[in-house]
Amino acid sequence: MKPNAATKPVLLYFEDEIASATRIGQCAGLDIQLIKRHRFPDGELKLRLPALLPPQVIILRSLQQPNEKLVELLLAAQTARTLGAQHLTLVAPYLAYMRQDIAFEPGEAVSQRLVGNFLATLFDALITVDPHLHRVASLLEAVPVAQAIVLSGAPLLSDLIAARRSKPLLLGPDAESAQWVAVAAARHGFDHAVCQKVRHGDHTVQLELPDVAISGRPVVLIDDVASTGQTVAQAAHLLLAAGAASVDVAVTHALFAGDALQVLQAAGVGEIWSTDCITHASNAISMAAPIADALGEVLGRSAVK
Ligand code: R5P
């Protein structure tokens, strides 16, 4: 049956993500509609969704600065169900709270599991990009929804690097980054390696370069996220001291908290490239097309049509 306006899936978005929603909507051939947001003087939120929703609804929310957005998702998802949604997909290009995947000290909240379970109570499906899965094998383990799709920014970042640098060495700053570096390197046959990293605090990391030839080579650091920028900055320091011809940075998620960009600049980093999972001046790659493809898969497989 050909969907009509009342049954065609719709993508709901918040005002600050209109550009991203428009790109995804165009690629996926989906109508997009705004979730209106009002903040009361005391800080509470009121949301207003379109009054009549089709059976398949997608909510777009990239979860950088996540705390208030998790409340938005609670309000929006449960309201969408009362307005007609039977199958709800969350598109969270950046998925927060994935790094705290164990209690490193007794008494610590395992945020990954708690936030993951919370999202799974609200949504049937999840699409995200390069979630930080380190000690768990799959996204479903962290977020137990009925269907979860993990996309990666690595292939498109690799294409960009191939267009901008000749025979670069791709370097991951730590063991976790090996998964993204390997994908990016395989796509264009780049050399690749990873550093060893020990984190001593939010702003303090210690890195050791791998035993590979660096002198005179263009190096591109690849990671899933840059937050304070300390990880890639330390790597850049060491690489330039070892004679690298240039050091550029390619990340999926441009968190860049506080003075991170100045930290990178002071470390001698040249270009910074990121995907548009988080809107940032460094965005050089759009993930709209892969997200649209994943939406096609989710909507095609959903029992509700
Ligand atoms: C952790 O392993 C991540 O992959 C990143 O390397 C890390 O979160 C980056 O953090 P920062 O920029 O604060 O050093």
Side-chain angles (χ1 to χ4, degrees), residues 89-116:
T89 301
L90 172 64
V91 175
Y94 175 64
L95 189 58
Y97 283 114
M98 290 295 109
R99 281 169 287 178
Q100 183 78 24
D101 57 3
I102 54 168
F104 295 92
E105 303 282 346
E108 279 181 359
V110 182
S111 314
Q112 183 191 76
R113 194 166 62 222
L114 298 172
V115 172

Short mmCIF file of all heavy atoms in Angstrom, two decimals, residues 89-116:
data_model
loop_
_atom_site.label_atom_id
_atom_site.label_comp_id
_atom_site.label_asym_id
_atom_site.label_seq_id
_atom_site.Cartn_x
_atom_site.Cartn_y
_atom_site.Cartn_z
N THR A 89 11.56 5.28 16.48
CA THR A 89 13.00 5.15 16.24
C THR A 89 13.71 6.38 16.77
O THR A 89 13.29 7.51 16.48
CB THR A 89 13.29 5.04 14.72
OG1 THR A 89 12.60 3.90 14.20
CG2 THR A 89 14.79 4.89 14.44
N LEU A 90 14.77 6.18 17.51
CA LEU A 90 15.62 7.30 17.91
C LEU A 90 16.82 7.36 16.97
O LEU A 90 17.55 6.36 16.82
CB LEU A 90 16.11 7.11 19.35
CG LEU A 90 17.18 8.11 19.82
CD1 LEU A 90 16.63 9.54 19.85
CD2 LEU A 90 17.72 7.74 21.21
N VAL A 91 17.01 8.50 16.34
CA VAL A 91 18.26 8.75 15.61
C VAL A 91 19.10 9.67 16.50
O VAL A 91 18.78 10.84 16.66
CB VAL A 91 18.02 9.39 14.22
CG1 VAL A 91 19.35 9.75 13.57
CG2 VAL A 91 17.22 8.46 13.33
N ALA A 92 20.11 9.08 17.11
CA ALA A 92 21.01 9.85 17.98
C ALA A 92 22.40 9.74 17.36
O ALA A 92 23.18 8.84 17.72
CB ALA A 92 21.00 9.30 19.39
N PRO A 93 22.74 10.62 16.40
CA PRO A 93 24.05 10.50 15.75
C PRO A 93 25.18 10.42 16.77
O PRO A 93 26.11 9.65 16.60
CB PRO A 93 24.11 11.77 14.89
CG PRO A 93 22.68 12.07 14.58
CD PRO A 93 21.93 11.70 15.84
N TYR A 94 25.09 11.21 17.85
CA TYR A 94 26.04 11.04 18.95
C TYR A 94 25.28 10.47 20.15
O TYR A 94 24.27 11.04 20.58
CB TYR A 94 26.69 12.38 19.36
CG TYR A 94 27.59 12.19 20.58
CD1 TYR A 94 28.71 11.39 20.49
CD2 TYR A 94 27.28 12.77 21.81
CE1 TYR A 94 29.52 11.17 21.61
CE2 TYR A 94 28.09 12.56 22.92
CZ TYR A 94 29.20 11.75 22.81
OH TYR A 94 30.00 11.52 23.90
N LEU A 95 25.75 9.36 20.64
CA LEU A 95 25.10 8.70 21.77
C LEU A 95 25.94 8.92 23.02
O LEU A 95 27.10 8.49 23.09
CB LEU A 95 24.99 7.20 21.45
CG LEU A 95 24.16 6.34 22.38
CD1 LEU A 95 22.72 6.84 22.49
CD2 LEU A 95 24.16 4.89 21.88
N ALA A 96 25.34 9.59 24.00
CA ALA A 96 26.09 9.99 25.19
C ALA A 96 26.22 8.86 26.20
O ALA A 96 25.54 7.84 26.11
CB ALA A 96 25.37 11.17 25.85
N TYR A 97 27.06 9.07 27.18
CA TYR A 97 27.22 8.19 28.35
C TYR A 97 27.74 6.80 28.01
O TYR A 97 27.58 5.88 28.81
CB TYR A 97 25.90 8.08 29.13
CG TYR A 97 25.61 9.30 29.99
CD1 TYR A 97 24.52 10.12 29.71
CD2 TYR A 97 26.44 9.63 31.05
CE1 TYR A 97 24.26 11.24 30.48
CE2 TYR A 97 26.19 10.75 31.83
CZ TYR A 97 25.10 11.55 31.54
OH TYR A 97 24.85 12.66 32.30
N MET A 98 28.36 6.64 26.85
CA MET A 98 28.84 5.31 26.48
C MET A 98 30.21 5.00 27.06
O MET A 98 30.63 3.86 27.11
CB MET A 98 28.89 5.17 24.95
CG MET A 98 27.53 5.12 24.28
SD MET A 98 26.55 3.67 24.74
CE MET A 98 25.27 4.40 25.77
N ARG A 99 30.94 6.04 27.52
CA ARG A 99 32.31 5.78 27.98
C ARG A 99 32.37 5.19 29.39
O ARG A 99 33.30 4.49 29.73
CB ARG A 99 33.15 7.06 27.87
CG ARG A 99 33.61 7.32 26.44
CD ARG A 99 34.22 8.70 26.27
NE ARG A 99 33.20 9.73 26.31
CZ ARG A 99 33.46 11.04 26.22
NH1 ARG A 99 34.69 11.45 26.09
NH2 ARG A 99 32.48 11.91 26.25
N GLN A 100 31.34 5.51 30.22
CA GLN A 100 31.33 4.96 31.59
C GLN A 100 30.66 3.59 31.53
O GLN A 100 29.47 3.44 31.83
CB GLN A 100 30.56 5.93 32.51
CG GLN A 100 30.54 5.52 33.98
CD GLN A 100 31.83 5.82 34.72
OE1 GLN A 100 32.59 6.71 34.33
NE2 GLN A 100 32.10 5.07 35.78
N ASP A 101 31.43 2.58 31.08
CA ASP A 101 30.82 1.27 30.84
C ASP A 101 31.09 0.26 31.95
O ASP A 101 30.62 -0.88 31.90
CB ASP A 101 31.26 0.71 29.48
CG ASP A 101 32.77 0.60 29.33
OD1 ASP A 101 33.49 0.91 30.29
OD2 ASP A 101 33.24 0.20 28.25
N ILE A 102 31.87 0.65 32.95
CA ILE A 102 32.04 -0.17 34.16
C ILE A 102 32.17 0.78 35.35
O ILE A 102 32.39 1.99 35.16
CB ILE A 102 33.30 -1.08 34.12
CG1 ILE A 102 34.56 -0.25 33.84
CG2 ILE A 102 33.16 -2.21 33.12
CD1 ILE A 102 35.86 -1.03 34.08
N ALA A 103 32.06 0.22 36.56
CA ALA A 103 32.36 1.01 37.75
C ALA A 103 33.87 0.94 37.96
O ALA A 103 34.40 -0.08 38.36
CB ALA A 103 31.60 0.46 38.95
N PHE A 104 34.56 2.04 37.62
CA PHE A 104 36.02 2.05 37.76
C PHE A 104 36.41 2.09 39.24
O PHE A 104 37.44 1.60 39.63
CB PHE A 104 36.61 3.26 37.02
CG PHE A 104 36.40 3.19 35.52
CD1 PHE A 104 35.29 3.77 34.92
CD2 PHE A 104 37.31 2.51 34.71
CE1 PHE A 104 35.09 3.69 33.55
CE2 PHE A 104 37.11 2.43 33.34
CZ PHE A 104 36.00 3.02 32.76
N GLU A 105 35.55 2.71 40.07
CA GLU A 105 35.75 2.75 41.52
C GLU A 105 34.47 2.20 42.15
O GLU A 105 33.39 2.41 41.59
CB GLU A 105 35.92 4.20 42.01
CG GLU A 105 37.04 4.97 41.36
CD GLU A 105 38.41 4.62 41.93
OE1 GLU A 105 38.45 3.98 42.99
OE2 GLU A 105 39.41 4.96 41.28
N PRO A 106 34.57 1.55 43.32
CA PRO A 106 33.36 1.05 43.96
C PRO A 106 32.36 2.18 44.18
O PRO A 106 32.74 3.29 44.57
CB PRO A 106 33.86 0.50 45.31
CG PRO A 106 35.33 0.32 45.15
CD PRO A 106 35.79 1.28 44.10
N GLY A 107 31.10 1.91 43.87
CA GLY A 107 30.05 2.91 44.10
C GLY A 107 29.71 3.76 42.88
O GLY A 107 28.72 4.50 42.89
N GLU A 108 30.51 3.67 41.82
CA GLU A 108 30.23 4.49 40.64
C GLU A 108 29.04 3.95 39.84
O GLU A 108 28.90 2.73 39.68
CB GLU A 108 31.44 4.51 39.70
CG GLU A 108 32.51 5.49 40.12
CD GLU A 108 33.69 5.50 39.16
OE1 GLU A 108 33.69 4.73 38.17
OE2 GLU A 108 34.62 6.26 39.40
N ALA A 109 28.23 4.86 39.33
CA ALA A 109 27.12 4.47 38.45
C ALA A 109 27.69 4.00 37.11
O ALA A 109 28.60 4.64 36.57
CB ALA A 109 26.20 5.66 38.22
N VAL A 110 27.16 2.90 36.60
CA VAL A 110 27.57 2.44 35.27
C VAL A 110 26.60 3.11 34.28
O VAL A 110 25.58 2.55 33.86
CB VAL A 110 27.53 0.90 35.18
CG1 VAL A 110 28.00 0.44 33.80
CG2 VAL A 110 28.42 0.30 36.25
N SER A 111 26.96 4.32 33.90
CA SER A 111 26.04 5.18 33.14
C SER A 111 25.63 4.55 31.82
O SER A 111 24.49 4.71 31.38
CB SER A 111 26.71 6.53 32.86
OG SER A 111 27.30 7.01 34.02
N GLN A 112 26.55 3.87 31.15
CA GLN A 112 26.21 3.28 29.85
C GLN A 112 24.98 2.38 29.98
O GLN A 112 24.04 2.48 29.21
CB GLN A 112 27.39 2.47 29.31
CG GLN A 112 27.11 1.90 27.93
CD GLN A 112 28.16 0.89 27.50
OE1 GLN A 112 28.18 -0.25 27.96
NE2 GLN A 112 29.04 1.30 26.62
N ARG A 113 25.01 1.49 30.98
CA ARG A 113 23.92 0.53 31.12
C ARG A 113 22.63 1.24 31.54
O ARG A 113 21.54 0.95 31.03
CB ARG A 113 24.31 -0.53 32.16
CG ARG A 113 23.41 -1.74 32.13
CD ARG A 113 24.00 -2.89 32.91
NE ARG A 113 24.14 -2.55 34.32
CZ ARG A 113 25.21 -2.87 35.06
NH1 ARG A 113 26.20 -3.52 34.53
NH2 ARG A 113 25.26 -2.54 36.33
N LEU A 114 22.75 2.21 32.45
CA LEU A 114 21.55 2.88 32.97
C LEU A 114 20.89 3.74 31.90
O LEU A 114 19.68 3.70 31.71
CB LEU A 114 21.93 3.72 34.19
CG LEU A 114 22.49 2.90 35.36
CD1 LEU A 114 23.04 3.80 36.44
CD2 LEU A 114 21.43 1.97 35.92
N VAL A 115 21.69 4.52 31.20
CA VAL A 115 21.12 5.37 30.14
C VAL A 115 20.62 4.50 28.99
O VAL A 115 19.56 4.75 28.42
CB VAL A 115 22.17 6.41 29.67
CG1 VAL A 115 21.67 7.17 28.45
CG2 VAL A 115 22.48 7.37 30.80
N GLY A 116 21.38 3.45 28.68
CA GLY A 116 20.96 2.53 27.61
C GLY A 116 19.62 1.88 27.92
O GLY A 116 18.72 1.83 27.07
#
